[in-house]
Amino acid sequence: MSHASTATPAEAARRLAGRTTGRLRSLPILALAVHSACNCRCLMCDIWKANAERREIPAEDLDRHAGDIRRLHVRRVMLTGGEPLLHSNMWALCDRLKRAGIRVTLVTTGLLLDRHADHVARVIDDVVISVDGDRPTHDEIRRVANGFDRIRVGVAALRARSASLIITGRCVVQRRNCGDLVAVVRTAQELGLDGISFLAADVTTTAFNRPEPWDAARRRDVALAEADLAKLERAVDRLLDTCRHEIATGYVENSPAAIRGLHAYYFALIGRGAFPPARCNAPWVSAVLEPGGVVRPCFFHRPYGTVGPDGLEAVINSPAAITFRRRLDVSTDETCRRCVCSLNLPLTREA
């Protein structure tokens, strides 16, 4: 979310107070996991294994949360899941958000963009699509026949309807695509995307519908083995050399240090070094709301609790949530140290 503007002094003061006291008076970003099912069967994710449940956040729930969303000064909502476009009443939900003046980001597999192009172009401010390589690599990782081609058609449909819609890609670097990161950038350009970002695969937590962390065999299927590390190091060097312009202009959203951090992360994962330093303030500037009212500080930490009669803000500023934030040290917390998806929103910037 690089399209930021300077926050007002009052907003900056609210955010700084939350960082100091643990009580949030400002929540710039709210992630809504609007649908629990997914239309991919990704190798690095288990969300699809619970597709039979198909839980979602009803649009009517936003009416119930509207007062809390306003009081918490939410500026941006990220629609995530599962796959948000599987939601049965997505556009009523988005209309409620837009009427409140909230920017809406859609995080999607991209498989349904063609079907929903009119609505997406009308109410979504920016789209983030999973792109894990060229056609064969992407389809192998996402395990959906012709998935890449469906993304291509969907992006073209959006471009035909809106010239201003921001469409970027996000690539999960793992064993099957770690050898050619330049190919990912070229693929994003070929698709007509406005940018691409990279992150490592999470293989250590209970996120993404894992009842418990993966065993060693499951981790080996996704994470890099020692023999793969040299391949990734060469791919990182080639990316930094070949795509200098794309990195300098921000088309590749990761900094050179963050790109180097991909190799450092996997090197640490096999016990050969330290994890890259965690720079994240997600629990102080965002929260995740799941179907059923479960509220988390981020996708990887345990829930604060579940929304009850007292509403969303009561959970976000519950004694347990305040204590969690006051005690959390991202530089030493084991979950934070191994995190692959940090958020570091400057407290004096808008979402």
Side-chain angles (χ1 to χ4, degrees), residues 11-12 18-19 22 30 33 36 53 85-86 91 100 103-104 121 145 150 191-192 205 218 224 236 255 277 301 322:
E11 176 65 13
R19 184 72 191 198
L30 177 62
S36 66
E53 298 179 21
L85 292 177
L86 292 173
W91 310 115
R103 291 183 61 85
V104 181
R150 291 166 67 181
L191 288 169
T205 75
R218 188 70 181 85
L224 274 61
V236 165
S255 67
H301 278 288
I322 291 172

Side-chain angles (χ1 to χ4, degrees), residues 31-42 45-58 78-90 93 107 109 112 206-210 288-294 296 299:
L32 297 181
V34 294
H35 201 284
S36 66
C38 190
N39 51 6
C40 281
R41 301 176 68 251
C42 303
C45 176
D46 288 346
I47 289 175
W48 57 271
K49 293 182 178 180
N51 278 358
E53 298 179 21
R54 301 185 71 84
R55 297 176 299 120
E56 64 181 28
I57 297 177
M78 294 178 59
L79 302 176
T80 180
E83 170 52 53
L85 292 177
L86 292 173
H87 195 283
S88 64
N89 201 12
M90 166 68 78
L93 186 150
V107 182
T109 63
L112 297 175
T206 57
F208 311 113
N209 192 45
R210 300 169 192 155
V288 180
L289 177 62
E290 299 177 350
V294 173
R296 296 177 180 271
F299 292 102

Side-chain angles (χ1 to χ4, degrees), residues 72 87 96 141 149 158 165 188 200 210-211 223-224 232 280 305 323 335:
L72 287 167
H87 195 283
R96 285 165 165 80
I141 291 171
D149 290 333
L158 292 180
L165 182 64
R210 300 169 192 155
L224 274 61
L232 175 60
C280 181
T323 298
T335 297

Side-chain angles (χ1 to χ4, degrees), residues 17 38 44 48 62-63 66 74 77 106 164 184 189 202 219 229 235 255 263 270 291 304 322 334:
C38 190
M44 58 282 189
W48 57 271
L62 281 188
D63 293 331
V74 173
V77 161
L106 173 66
S164 61
V184 179
Q189 292 171 323
D202 172 59
R219 288 172 60 173
L229 289 172
S255 67
H263 181 266
I270 63 169
Y304 290 141
I322 291 172
E334 195 63 22

Side-chain angles (χ1 to χ4, degrees), residues 248-264:
T249 59
Y251 186 88
V252 174
E253 297 178 14
N254 309 72
S255 67
I259 294 169
R260 291 281 186 202
L262 294 168
H263 181 266

